[in-house]
Amino acid sequence: MNPKITDLSKLRRTLFHELVHWAHLKGPSSFRERVTALASRRTSGFTEPQLILYKAPGLLYDLEVRGMRDDWADINGDEYAGRVYRRAAASLAVEVPTVHLEKLTYHSSELADYLNHRSNRTGHRSWREAFLTCLDPFLPSNPQP
């Protein structure tokens, strides 16, 4: 965490993002397995291209930032959820839950825009599918007794 973040909404989003990393990597293996299965299914057979990843609107990351292309893109075209790190197994899909669940810190109307967003490539609500898959371990749609 950058201690120089003064924007409260950015600080909230960053903190939430990092807490989801912790839950993903240290939480129940079933959560990791579901996220990995989602990423594997949706990126099967893909190579690692440079993705459209924004540090800030209109400012791309460096060329060495790579990932698995899919319909991870959000409303702004940012594909950060597909990022793959060189030192970690690609199957960890470590940015999938963080990028999708950090949107819970957004205003409800902005979150609704994301949930209703249709992929420019397929026309499907792929972002919604990933969001709900990542949310389900925390708020299961079919809770176990």
Side-chain angles (χ1 to χ4, degrees):
M1 293 272 311
N2 183 346
K4 296 179 181 178
I5 297 175
T6 57
D7 178 338
L8 184 58
S9 63
K10 182 175 182 176
L11 181 62
R12 183 182 309 116
R13 183 175 61 248
T14 302
L15 179 58
F16 199 85
H17 180 105
E18 297 306 325
L19 284 171
V20 173
H21 272 309
W22 175 79
H24 179 213
L25 298 174
K26 303 294 184 190
S29 61
S30 60
F31 181 41
R32 281 188 305 284
E33 290 163 6
R34 290 194 67 196
V35 170
T36 300
L38 170 75
S40 296
R41 178 173 50 81
R42 287 179 41 173
T43 61
S44 177
F46 285 52
T47 57
E48 292 182 24
Q50 181 186 11
L51 300 180
I52 301 169
L53 307 169
Y54 295 114
K55 283 181 170 178
L59 180 61
L60 294 174
Y61 277 87
D62 297 328
L63 289 176
E64 70 271 3
V65 176
R66 313 282 285 180
M68 300 301 281
R69 175 151 283 144
D70 181 59
D71 288 334
W72 306 122
D74 64 19
I75 294 169
N76 300 312
D78 190 341
E79 298 175 323
Y80 194 83
R83 183 172 181 181
V84 173
Y85 293 88
R86 293 280 174 233
R87 291 186 216 143
S91 62
L92 289 177
V94 295
E95 296 300 345
V96 173
T98 59
V99 168
H100 289 80
L101 294 181
E102 77 180 28
K103 302 296 192 278
L104 288 169
T105 66
Y106 288 22
H107 186 275
S108 59
S109 63
E110 190 172 3
L111 177 59
D113 288 344
Y114 277 95
L115 290 171
N116 292 316
H117 173 66
R118 291 191 181 273
S119 164
N120 294 335
R121 290 177 13 166
T122 64
H124 298 284
R125 288 192 175 110
S126 302
W127 192 92
R128 176 188 289 200
E129 176 198 18
F131 174 81
L132 294 175
T133 299
C134 294
L135 183 62
D136 194 57
F138 296 101
L139 299 169
S141 53
N142 296 315
Q144 302 298 317

